[in-house]
Each structure stands twice: as C-alpha cells, then as structure tokens.
Amino acid sequence: MPGAVSAGLIGAEARTRRPGSLAGGVLAGVAMILVAMLLSSVVFSIVRADNSIRDAATRRAQSAIDLLSTLHVQSMLNRATLSDDDGATRAFDATMSAFSRDEGHVQVWMAMSAETMYWQARRGAATIEPPRDALDKAGLARRRELIDTRGGTVRIVRPVILGQGVAADARCVACHGAGPGALRPGQVIGVYSAQANMAAERAHWRRMFLDEVTWLVCVALAALLALSLWLRRALLRPLRRVERIALRMAHGNIDRPVESLATSHEFGRIGTALEQFRQALVQKRALSEYNAFLATHDSLTGLPNRGAFAERLKHLLVEAGTARAGPTMAPVGLSGTADEPPAALCVMIDLVRFKAINDRHGREAGDALLCTVARALRQALQPGEHVARLHGDEFAACRLVSQSEGIHDFLSRLARALATPLHDGDLVLGTGGSIGYALSPEDGSCVDELMGNADLAMRRAKADPHVAYTRYDPQSDEPSRTRVALLDDLALAVARGQIVVHYQAQHDTMTGTVVGYEALARWIHPTRGLISPAVFIPLAEETGLIGPIGAFVLREACQLAAREPQPVRVAVNVSAVQLCDPQFDRLVHQILVDTGLSPARLELELTETALITHRDRALHAMRRLKALGVQIAVDDFGVGYSSLEAINLFPIDKIKIDRSFVTTYDVEPKGRMLLKAIITIGESLQVPILAEGVETQAQLAFLRSVGCTQVQGFLLDHPRLREDLPLDECGDTAGVADVA
C-alpha cells in the first residue's frame, strides 16, 4: 500500500512537472550522441592501440629470438673448443649483453633442458642455464613455441630440438651427441626466451590519446556551442514569435496581421498557416457578430427585432419601477406635472396603405419604403428612445416619460417620420401609420401585457384614420382582446376535443319523417362556455384553421350517416376557403372511402355569397364533387346577391331558404310573396326546397300549403349530440363502390 501511494505521488509529480525546453532537449540529445560517439571511439581506440602495441611487442620479441638463435648457432659453429672461454662464446655473450643493454624494452636469454644441464655437468662445463620460470619449463615440455601476454609484457619461448631447425646442423648433432650424458636427436636441448616490455609504448600512447581526446572534447563543445547559437537563432526565436502570435490570438487580438516567419522554409509555411488561421478567425468572428446582430435585429432595415425590443422594454420597466416584482406607482396620463414619476411608454405602429403599395409596385418597392421609414424613425429618435421593427409593416417604439408633453412630442415625431415619402426616380411613394400606445403601470406592468395593450390601441387607431394616435382603453379594446384570445384558444380546440358536432334533423313536410341531418359545429370553451359558429367560424377562416375543423366535422358526420340503416342524408356546411382548396375533393373522397358512406347520402351546403365571390374556382370544385356523386345545396338562399344567377350557373341539388323569410312571412307581406316565389322557382326547376328556422305550427302549416317539401327548425328537433340521436348501429350497404 505505501508503495502504491508513493507511486501515485510520483505520477502526480510527473504530471505536474513543467516540460523542458526544446532547444535544451535538442542540445542534450546531440550531447548524448556525441558522448556516445566519443566513448565508442575511445573504446575502439583503446582496443586497437592495445592490439597494435601487443603485436609490435610480439614482433620485437620474435625478432629478438631470431637474432638470439642466429648468433647462438653461429657462435657455436665458430668456436674452436667446447670451453666457455672460447673466443666465439665470449663474443656471443658480449653481443647479447650489449643487445639487452641497448634494447631496454626486450630481454633475451636461453634455458637448458634437464638433459642438457646433465650433459653439461658430466662434461664439466661451468655454464648451466636452468629455466627461469614456468613458461620456460612449459616450452621445454610442450616442444613448441609459446607466446604469453601478461600485464605489460609479451613472452615468447621457442624450443630447440636436436636435429631439427637451428639444431639440424651435423656439427651440432655431433657435438651434443658425444661424451657422457650425450643427447640423442629429437631431444630438446633448451629454449630461447624473449620478453618484450609494452609499458613505454602504452605510456606514449596514453599521452597521445589524452591529447586527442582533449581535442575531440574541445571540438564537441565548440560544435555544441555553435549548435546552441544556431538553434537560438533558427528555432527558438521563431518559436517564441509563434508563441506570442498564438497567445495574442488566444486573447482575441486577431486584427493584427501575422508578421513574417521566413527564417526557414518550414517556418515560412507555419507563418502562412497562422495568417490563414487568423483570417479564418476574423471571418468567424465577423460571421458570429453578424449572426448575433441578426438574432437581435431585422435583416432588412437594421432595426432591433421583437426580441431585442422586448428586452429593451423590460429594462425600461425595471428603471421605471413598474415591473411586476417592483413597487406600484401612480398612473401617468396625458395631463401630468413635472413631479410625476417616470413611466415606460410602449408604442405600436402599423403602416397604412402598405399592402396596396406592395401589391401595386412590387416587393422591392415595399422593401425600399420600409427602409425609408426605418431610417426616418431612427433619425427622429433622441437619447433614451428606441424603435424596432416587429414584422411586416409593424414597428414599435419605447422610452421613459414623466410628462405629457414628452409623450406628445415623442408620438408627433414618430408620426412625422412615418409620413416620409420614398423617392424612386419619378415614383414617389408615401404612407402613414396607425399609432397606439400604452403606459406602465396603469396599462400594464410586464412586457407582454404592455405590448399587447399597445397593439390593441393601435388596432383601434387603425379603424379610425382621423385619429393621430390612441392610448389603450380597457373598455374599448376588450372586444379586440377577446378576439385575440379566441384566436389563440382556437388553435388548440380541435386537439383538445373542444369542437363537437351537433345534429339537427330535417323532416319531410307532408309525412314528418326524418329525411336527413345537418351537422353543426359547436365550440365548447372551457371558460367561456358554448361559442356560436358565427363567432369562431370567421376566425377559423381567417387563420386557416377552417381546414382541420371542417375535415373533423365532415368525418364525424359521414361516420354517423354510415351507421344509420335508413337512407337519410347528412348535410355538412362547407366554407369558401374549403371549397377553393384544390385538395378538397380528394379529402371528401378519402373520408367517404374510410367511413363507407355512399356519396349520394352526403350533402355539402354552400352559401350563395361564397359561390358568386369565387365563381370560377367554385364551379370547378363543384364539378369535381358532383363527379364523386355528392349532393350540392345552396344554404341561406335569398339573403345574398345574384341568387337566380347561382341557380342557373351551378349544379345545385337543393335550395335551403334562409330562416329570415320563414320568421317574417306573417309580418311582411312582401316576405310571404318572396317565400312563395322561391318555392315556385324550385318546383319549376325540380329542385327540392328546404325551409330553415321553423319554430311554430303556423309556419309549418303555411310552408306545407305553399308546397315546401322539407323543413328544419326547433319546432321539430333541436340540435343534439351524436349519442342522443335515435340511431341503430348498422352499416351502410351502398358504400362508395360506384364513386368515379
């Protein structure tokens, strides 16, 4: 465990240790290489020098033995007697003594074998040379030349064998083979020994080697110094410049171009890469700044957008102390004093006649006009005032105010800026603006509330072109607020199951039997209760929600009729928006296929106003629907215009008389005559007539008397939910097999 702890501490220390210098690492590496080369050179030189000195000593020893053997043999052959006092013997001894004295590094001697020493003793000779050491004895015993290197000397021992080599002469054989103890050929007479001393050569080599090593070390140090200077100039300085450039970029200073690093080709490329990287950072920063600008500003006019304006208004509310978390302050009106506390003023602006200008002169002219207005609004601002473009032709402004004069001055300057015309060659385009404003805290204490109320005031100003600007009024703007709230709730009504379908029966006038049902959409609001179709259907048409609502009602009605065993029809109201949809006939066909309802039992009710307003598209759509086998009825007949033209132009299967004719037939004599005329027209064209709004027995009796075939109203049935209808669970057998 302690070992693991110490290992962990060592590892942590290694991780926190600062890295070394690059130049120091390079120099250390080069120094290690030089030291390794020097050491290897030293070892190689020592080995080579030792071998050379030993070989030279060996050659000297061999030369000395050769000289010894030659002189010895010659002296033996030249002497006159076997006495040691013979002149040749004395000359040999003197020569060898002089050689040993002059050649101090080499010593030579002779050693006799035991047989020779015995022979010499029997002969009475005084000269006896026994072996000096073990190597002499080994040479006598092994009968071959031996070389031994020990310490600082080289020893060579060469045996002399009678009858062989230098002792092969007949006189030598005769001399050693005579007398008592004589030697026989083949016996060892003795050995020649030579010893060469290598100490002087080695000492001389050491001196020379030390001088050489000293020189190499000096050269290596000089090379390292030169390398250090070169690294400092060619590597360290450019790297420090690269470091400074990188740190400068890391701190965000990327506007200064990268200076040249052309000390070498590689650093030149690094400098080029750094400059390209800097330019990329500059471009990225510019793109980031542009994206940040677009996130808070309008791309066309350059004004702040809705998000930036809401943030600015929030700050003003905080400064005014009217935020919801802040203290409540006294309201500010149009009449005030200099002692009034500051309030946040929110202004909403909508350009007038802009859509007409955009449609007539094109989008480019509309954009140019928006830019002109935005520039004029920006120039009209004073310190502490802000303006923004919300979307389309809607602008907004805000500031802090404490006097009514400040409010009037600010709104007047905005109105004058809105009237700035656009001059494009000979074309002069002018517009104006509807201005509504709200003040905190009386008109709102948060951003959304203040902007919403100012928008409601702007809509009221837009409805009255004679008013320059209008302040928010809770009572006057409540209908608009309700409408906006309904628009928001209607978007989720279908998904939340708040749209339901009620069914009202249609009866035969004579028999009283049910001939069909009309599907009526109802909106059950969670807080407002039941909302009339006359209220939410126009909202749905305005927002495009009529498509999913109409499809829901159509599918529910077809599913109901498909389970009714009696061949009754189901009538569904279709708006002009649905009828003009190119995919509407495909939707109808798909619902018929999914529910299994026969197309002849589906009746689509269209208002004559919708037919005449969109005549061509309505006629084309009705022809496609008729091709499916669907029945077409004209709803609210008589209250629109060109009713006779509608009957003549469109393929109509039924006419539904508006309830206004039924409820007033006994009050207005003309109404009675018109009601009879409509029924007569239907009979003449063989088109069934259905009267809506029958609420009394008298009305029913009159309609029966004038020949009306079908009726619908509260007298006979009230709209009911699907679960409350007296229907049997049975499928429709006709189906849609015959649908074209």
Side-chain angles (χ1 to χ4, degrees):
M1 191 66 181
V5 174
S6 61
L9 293 176
I10 294 174
E13 181 182 359
R15 288 192 297 270
T16 58
R17 187 180 301 129
R18 294 182 61 186
S21 171
L22 176 61
V26 173
L27 290 175
V30 173
M32 292 178 64
I33 294 174
L34 291 177
V35 169
M37 294 175 60
L38 184 61
L39 289 177
S40 62
S41 177
V42 167
V43 172
F44 179 75
S45 298
I46 290 174
V47 173
R48 183 181 62 181
D50 186 72
N51 292 334
S52 177
I53 292 173
R54 186 172 60 250
D55 293 343
T58 301
R59 287 193 299 270
R60 289 199 305 271
Q62 289 178 343
S63 298
I65 287 179
D66 292 341
L67 178 61
L68 174 62
S69 64
T70 300
L71 293 176
H72 181 249
V73 171
Q74 190 65 36
S75 66
M76 293 298 102
L77 293 178
N78 291 336
R79 67 182 180 176
T81 65
L82 295 176
S83 173
D84 293 336
D85 295 333
D86 185 81
T89 302
R90 289 197 301 272
F92 171 73
D93 292 339
T95 300
M96 296 310 300
S97 297
F99 176 80
S100 298
R101 183 177 63 253
D102 296 338
E103 188 65 33
H105 302 307
V106 180
Q107 295 179 358
V108 293
W109 68 87
M110 294 183 298
M112 298 179 182
S113 64
E115 291 82 1
T116 303
M117 288 189 294
Y118 176 76
W119 176 71
Q120 285 282 83
R122 292 289 305 271
R123 196 169 55 84
T127 303
I128 297 178
E129 298 174 337
R132 292 187 179 183
D133 52 22
L135 189 63
D136 288 345
K137 294 177 181 179
L140 292 172
R142 295 182 182 180
R143 300 168 59 86
R144 59 184 180 85
E145 183 177 295
L146 300 177
I147 300 176
D148 184 31
T149 302
R150 293 183 180 179
T153 60
V154 175
R155 283 285 310 282
I156 297 180
V157 177
R158 183 181 297 173
V160 180
I161 301 174
L162 185 62
Q164 299 178 9
V166 296
D169 190 271
R171 290 176 291 180
C172 182
V173 173
C175 178
H176 287 82
L183 279 74
R184 297 186 301 276
Q187 285 186 317
V188 179
I189 300 175
V191 293
Y192 296 132
S193 292
Q195 177 176 301
N197 192 351
M198 299 181 291
E201 288 82 355
R202 285 182 173 176
H204 177 69
W205 176 83
R206 288 191 189 97
R207 290 192 297 270
M208 295 181 61
F209 181 72
L210 287 176
D211 294 340
E212 183 179 355
V213 169
T214 302
W215 169 252
L216 290 176
V217 170
C218 293
V219 171
L221 292 176
L224 288 176
L225 179 60
L227 179 61
S228 175
L229 295 176
W230 180 83
L231 287 175
R232 181 181 180 85
R233 179 181 179 277
L235 185 63
L236 293 184
R237 288 181 181 175
L239 285 179
R240 290 194 186 99
R241 292 167 63 186
V242 171
E243 180 184 10
R244 288 195 299 269
I245 294 171
L247 290 176
R248 189 174 68 209
M249 292 183 180
H251 289 94
N253 186 8
I254 57 177
D255 296 323
R256 177 182 173 186
V258 175
E259 56 268 20
S260 175
L261 297 176
T263 56
S264 64
H265 176 66
E266 290 75 12
F267 278 107
R269 294 172 57 187
I270 292 175
T272 302
L274 285 175
E275 175 60 21
Q276 293 176 353
F277 180 64
R278 185 196 69 83
Q279 294 177 0
L281 289 178
V282 171
Q283 295 176 357
K284 184 177 180 180
R285 183 185 64 182
L287 180 60
S288 177
E289 292 175 351
Y290 180 69
N291 290 335
F293 178 83
L294 290 182
T296 57
H297 289 76
D298 175 48
S299 60
L300 176 62
T301 62
L303 293 177
N305 57 16
R306 177 181 288 272
F309 178 78
E311 191 67 22
R312 183 67 259 175
L313 183 59
K314 179 180 178 181
H315 291 165
L316 293 181
L317 286 171
V318 173
E319 293 179 18
T322 57
R324 288 191 181 275
T328 303
M329 303 184 66
V332 177
L334 291 179
S335 61
T337 65
D339 296 331
E340 292 176 348
L345 171 64
C346 177
V347 182
M348 305 298 286
I349 304 169
D350 185 81
L351 299 183
V352 298
R353 301 186 302 277
F354 177 76
K355 186 178 184 304
I357 294 174
N358 208 32
D359 294 340
R360 180 177 179 182
H361 301 284
R363 185 179 298 274
E364 293 184 358
D367 292 345
L369 180 59
L370 289 175
C371 293
T372 301
V373 172
R375 186 164 51 252
L377 289 173
R378 190 184 293 111
Q379 294 174 354
L381 297 180
Q382 294 179 359
E385 299 175 348
H386 310 277
V387 68
R389 181 192 178 203
L390 303 185
H391 60 81
D393 59 345
E394 291 190 12
F395 295 83
C398 62
R399 61 161 290 180
L400 283 178
V401 295
S402 59
Q403 301 182 47
S404 59
E405 292 79 2
I407 299 175
H408 288 295
D409 176 67
F410 183 48
L411 297 178
S412 298
R413 283 188 279 114
L414 293 179
R416 289 193 298 270
L418 294 173
T420 303
L422 169 65
H423 297 275
D424 186 8
D426 297 334
L427 180 64
V428 178
L429 299 177
T431 183
S434 300
I435 301 176
Y437 69 96
L439 287 167
S440 67
E442 187 179 31
D443 299 335
S445 56
C446 70
V447 172
D448 293 338
E449 185 179 7
L450 203 60
M451 291 182 62
N453 291 339
D455 186 73
L456 293 177
M458 180 268 293
R459 295 177 184 274
R460 187 155 46 87
K462 192 173 183 179
D464 188 359
H466 301 289
V467 178
Y469 38 81
T470 305
R471 183 182 174 180
Y472 168 71
D473 182 7
Q475 295 180 353
S476 301
D477 295 327
E478 186 59 32
S480 297
R481 179 184 298 278
T482 302
R483 184 175 182 275
V484 172
L486 289 177
L487 284 174
D488 295 336
D489 296 340
L490 186 59
L492 301 175
V494 177
R496 294 176 177 176
Q498 298 175 5
I499 302 296
V500 297
V501 182
H502 287 192
Y503 301 90
Q504 188 176 26
Q506 298 173 343
H507 294 76
D508 185 273
T509 307
M510 301 302 174
T511 64
T513 59
V514 176
V515 296
Y517 291 94
E518 180 181 5
L520 303 172
R522 295 291 186 266
W523 181 11
I524 304 177
H525 195 277
T527 58
R528 302 176 186 271
L530 185 64
I531 299 178
S532 171
V535 175
F536 73 85
I537 291 298
L539 296 179
E541 292 179 337
E542 177 183 342
T543 58
L545 295 174
I546 191 62
I549 293 176
F552 168 75
V553 174
L554 180 62
R555 184 174 294 274
E556 288 288 318
C558 290
Q559 289 176 351
L560 173 75
R563 292 198 301 269
E564 171 60 41
Q566 301 299 326
V568 296
R569 290 194 179 99
V570 60
V572 180
N573 290 278
V574 177
S575 72
V577 177
Q578 292 176 274
L579 186 63
C580 295
D581 185 1
Q583 304 297 324
F584 181 67
D585 60 318
R586 297 184 182 180
L587 173 66
V588 173
H589 179 265
Q590 186 62 47
I591 291 177
L592 290 174
V593 172
D594 295 340
T595 59
L597 179 66
S598 172
R601 295 177 58 187
L602 175 61
E603 185 177 282
L604 300 180
E605 296 184 0
L606 308 171
T607 62
E608 56 180 328
T609 302
L611 296 177
I612 300 302
T613 303
H614 309 280
R615 177 183 303 181
D616 296 337
R617 284 185 290 180
L619 181 60
H620 184 61
M622 290 177 65
R623 288 172 178 171
R624 294 199 303 268
L625 292 172
K626 290 294 292 182
L628 295 176
V630 175
Q631 302 296 303
I632 303 296
V634 177
D635 195 13
D636 299 335
F637 186 83
V639 298
Y641 52 88
S642 303
S643 298
L644 296 179
E645 181 183 5
I647 296 175
N648 181 52
L649 181 63
F650 297 101
I652 295 174
D653 299 301
K654 181 186 288 188
I655 296 175
K656 295 187 68 174
I657 303 175
D658 186 71
R659 61 182 294 114
S660 62
F661 290 96
V662 177
T663 57
T664 61
Y665 85 96
D666 55 348
V667 178
E668 296 288 342
K670 293 182 179 180
R672 181 188 298 264
M673 301 304 297
L674 287 175
L675 187 57
K676 291 182 178 180
I678 294 173
I679 295 174
T680 302
I681 292 174
E683 291 177 350
S684 301
L685 297 176
Q686 296 182 349
V687 176
I689 303 295
L690 185 145
E692 297 179 300
V694 179
E695 299 179 358
T696 65
Q697 288 290 345
Q699 294 171 353
L700 178 61
F702 173 75
L703 292 172
R704 185 183 294 117
S705 65
V706 296
C708 181
T709 58
Q710 298 177 11
V711 291
Q712 176 181 346
F714 290 163
L715 175 65
L716 304 173
D717 189 22
H718 284 74
R720 292 180 287 177
L721 290 173
R722 172 178 178 176
E723 295 79 7
D724 300 331
L725 297 178
L727 301 178
D728 295 331
E729 297 295 331
C730 182
D732 181 17
T733 59
V736 291
D738 58 337
V739 176

